[in-house]
Amino acid sequence: MALYAIRQPVAAGLDYLTGPWADRAIVSIDGQIQHPLALAPSLNILAGAVPALPAMDLPNWLVTHSGWLPENAPARDEVYPEDPRVWMGEGRVRLDEIAPWLAQEARVRGGRLALRPHARQILSDPHACLAFLDTHDNEPIDIALDPIAMLTPDMLSCAEDHLTRIADALIDHPRVPMVLLRNARRRGDDLLPTPVHEGELESCHLIYLAERALSAAKPIVLREAGLARQLGVLRPAGLHAAR
């Protein structure tokens, strides 16, 4: 099983990766410096003036958020604003415009675009993800599946049902090239992302997702903090760092 983490490029020995599109990279956790699997910028692609992509060749994927509104709202602690326009069509129209252009720019540089879903972003649930992929069937656009990000605080009490539905709909899809795996904890009406070994979701739910990813031969991408402890939680799924 390929295991990766989202890391700052400098911390991963990838000093040559600079600029807004490269503030995070998805790299192997086996300790060897190597070509990253993906760039994973934190910027909002719905913002009116997204930076130009770097002229260099890209990794296999450019992993971006599917976008939030208002487009200039900050996303502190990876908490995104609630805006009804996200679900009322305006957000989807804007994503339909920007994603194909960005995907073609990525293709020219040797990569594909992979959109991260989130409960407060344009691609918020399995139906939205599948509908978007169907609409853009001939575009180099994939989904970087982040099941926990698709939950809301009121969904935690039935997390098993929701995560099973998400996995059944998307984890085996040929245009889902990776599974981002994390935990979450409440802060008021928000869910803050946390590493696997922290947060409110029981380990059995995360082990289930890891086993589904393992069965589908999809790389698992963890958060950077506490990798040894995260792997300890996921060990029942047969996951371990490469040696």
Side-chain angles (χ1 to χ4, degrees):
M1 164 55 65
L3 289 168
Y4 295 83
I6 300 178
R7 303 190 65 189
Q8 296 182 11
V10 171
L14 302 170
D15 298 25
Y16 67 91
L17 294 177
T18 59
W21 289 103
D23 61 343
R24 293 291 188 275
I26 296 177
V27 298
S28 171
I29 68 171
D30 68 3
Q32 299 180 19
I33 297 175
Q34 55 188 280
H35 193 62
L37 178 70
L39 299 183
S42 56
L43 52 77
N44 184 2
I45 64 172
L46 298 190
V50 296
L53 283 176
M56 66 179 188
D57 290 343
L58 292 177
N60 292 344
W61 284 278
L62 177 65
V63 176
T64 76
H65 296 284
S66 63
W68 64 89
L69 297 171
E71 65 275 2
N72 60 350
R76 298 185 180 93
D77 299 323
E78 297 181 56
V79 173
Y80 304 96
E82 290 188 276
D83 191 312
R85 292 178 297 165
V86 168
W87 304 287
M88 292 173 62
E90 178 180 339
R92 172 59 194 270
V93 168
R94 293 173 66 173
L95 184 61
D96 283 334
E97 293 173 349
I98 187 65
W101 169 81
L102 186 57
Q104 293 300 333
E105 291 293 305
R107 173 185 273 172
V108 169
R109 293 161 176 80
R112 291 174 63 91
L113 178 65
L115 298 172
R116 295 173 63 175
H118 189 282
R120 291 185 178 175
Q121 294 186 18
I122 309 306
L123 302 184
S124 58
D125 57 29
H127 173 76
C129 292
L130 291 171
F132 187 84
L133 290 177
D134 286 345
T135 299
H136 299 280
D137 186 46
N138 295 317
E139 301 286 348
I141 303 174
D142 301 318
I143 299 294
L145 182 58
D146 190 344
I148 307 304
M150 302 169 85
L151 301 180
T152 60
D154 61 350
M155 295 166 73
L156 291 183
S157 60
C158 298
E160 181 177 3
D161 292 340
H162 292 295
L163 293 175
T164 299
R165 178 175 59 87
I166 292 168
D168 287 347
L170 290 167
I171 212 162
D172 291 306
H173 197 288
R175 289 170 68 189
V176 172
M178 65 189 75
V179 177
L180 281 61
L181 192 58
R182 61 176 177 83
N183 207 323
R185 61 179 173 85
R186 290 182 182 88
R187 186 180 69 185
D189 295 330
D190 301 320
L191 277 184
L192 299 181
T194 63
V196 165
H197 64 284
E198 301 174 358
E200 299 182 37
L201 284 155
E202 297 180 18
S203 60
C204 61
H205 301 320
L206 305 174
I207 291 169
Y208 164 77
L209 291 172
E211 289 174 338
R212 291 291 302 267
L214 182 65
S215 177
K218 302 295 174 74
I220 292 176
V221 182
L222 302 174
R223 300 181 74 79
E224 183 173 12
L227 284 172
R229 295 184 66 185
Q230 294 188 73
L231 291 170
V233 171
L234 299 174
R235 194 165 292 124
L239 301 183
H240 54 84
R243 290 290 185 263

